[in-house]
Amino acid sequence: MKKFKLLFNLILISASCLLLSCTPNSLASIPNNAPISIQGTITKIGNTPFEQIAVYIPKYNTSIPLTFKFQDHKTKAINNQGKKLKLKGLFQINTKKLANTTKEIKFYSLLVTSIN
């Protein structure tokens, strides 16, 4: 009976670890051009000549700029600012070097292919 309980507990702990490890903890753990589905609030980031439409994701406590494959998706996002939407697309990572080339900075964005 004790062996059964021990085996059951080990299986339960293993299953819990697998389920918890399925979702990435940070944006850095998502590979470039990975298809993802995200739910978040549509916002604008930046100032007037450089404004971008973005999605705020509370899980990561960050806003990701959006690029759109189709113009009607962009229009829908603009019309739904401040509302939660579910977006599907490709997660993109761009690295840029500083002017003195001492450091590289990663910039994340989402190429939107579907909006619900």
Side-chain angles (χ1 to χ4, degrees):
M1 189 66 175
K2 286 184 180 182
K3 288 182 181 181
F4 177 72
K5 284 184 179 181
L6 180 64
L7 181 63
F8 179 75
N9 286 338
L10 286 174
I11 291 172
L12 184 64
I13 290 170
S14 299
S16 298
C17 289
L18 286 173
L19 288 174
L20 292 175
S21 66
C22 289
T23 57
N25 294 354
S26 68
L27 293 175
S29 62
I30 302 173
N32 190 26
N33 287 324
I36 61 172
S37 178
I38 291 180
Q39 183 172 352
T41 306
I42 303 298
T43 62
K44 274 191 179 180
I45 57 174
N47 292 321
T48 297
F50 306 109
E51 283 182 345
Q52 287 183 309
I53 300 169
V55 59
Y56 175 74
I57 306 167
K59 178 180 177 182
Y60 300 119
N61 194 26
T62 191
S63 294
I64 300 176
L66 302 175
T67 53
F68 298 92
K69 192 170 186 176
F70 303 108
Q71 183 63 34
D72 60 327
H73 291 157
K74 184 175 184 177
T75 305
K76 186 173 183 178
I78 290 170
N79 292 337
N80 287 299
Q81 270 187 359
K83 296 179 182 172
K84 284 191 176 184
L85 292 178
K86 187 171 184 180
L87 307 170
K88 291 182 182 179
L90 298 175
F91 185 75
Q92 298 179 329
I93 303 171
N94 296 318
T95 56
K96 295 182 182 180
K97 287 187 179 182
L98 295 178
N100 60 4
T101 66
T102 58
K103 189 175 181 182
E104 287 186 351
I105 300 174
K106 290 185 178 182
F107 291 94
Y108 303 111
S109 64
L110 180 67
L111 175 62
V112 178
T113 57
S114 172
I115 294 182
N116 293 329

